[in-house]
Structures are given as C-alpha cells and as structure tokens.
Amino acid sequence: MASLFQCMMGVLACLDGYMNIALEQTEEYVNGQLKEKYGDAFLRDVNKYFKTDVIEYLSTLYRKF
C-alpha cells in the first residue's frame, strides 16, 4: 500500500497554547498534489502530529506578529 502524505498550507491567522491553528487561504495537498482550496480552516489539537522543533518554529513565527 502506498503511503499517504497530507499537508495543509495557508496564512497563519491564530495559534493558541493548545496548538489549535486558524489558517486563511488554506490549501490541502495530498502526496504533493493540490487536492482542495479552502477559505479559512481551523485545525484542532495538532500538537500530536508535530515534532517539538516544528511547534517551536510555528510559535516563533506567531510571536513576530
């Protein structure tokens, strides 16, 4: 069975302490191919999916705004 790689990309609108992320202009990619475009998206409790270094990177970006 082929592995599935899914990615949501967009403009970070909000990030809270529980790693709930609000994105604007969101696009969903599956195995590198654009699958769907969304206006706004809310990703709940994504910290279980990210490694610590990615969480720290996102937090650093959020603090700049």
Side-chain angles (χ1 to χ4, degrees):
M1 178 177 238
S3 63
L4 177 70
F5 177 76
Q6 183 178 11
C7 178
M8 302 290 280
M9 297 180 66
V11 177
L12 180 64
C14 185
L15 170 69
D16 69 12
Y18 297 103
M19 284 302 294
N20 295 314
I21 297 176
L23 296 174
E24 298 174 347
Q25 303 170 24
T26 308
E27 298 177 336
E28 178 182 15
Y29 291 86
V30 177
N31 294 329
Q33 299 294 316
L34 178 63
K35 180 179 178 187
E36 190 71 46
K37 289 186 178 185
Y38 306 99
D40 296 333
F42 185 72
L43 308 174
R44 294 186 63 206
D45 192 25
V46 297
N47 61 346
K48 57 188 164 193
Y49 303 110
F50 287 120
K51 293 182 180 177
T52 304
D53 54 344
V54 175
I55 294 169
E56 290 174 3
Y57 175 72
L58 289 173
S59 297
T60 302
L61 289 177
Y62 181 72
R63 284 189 213 118
K64 291 181 180 180
F65 296 100

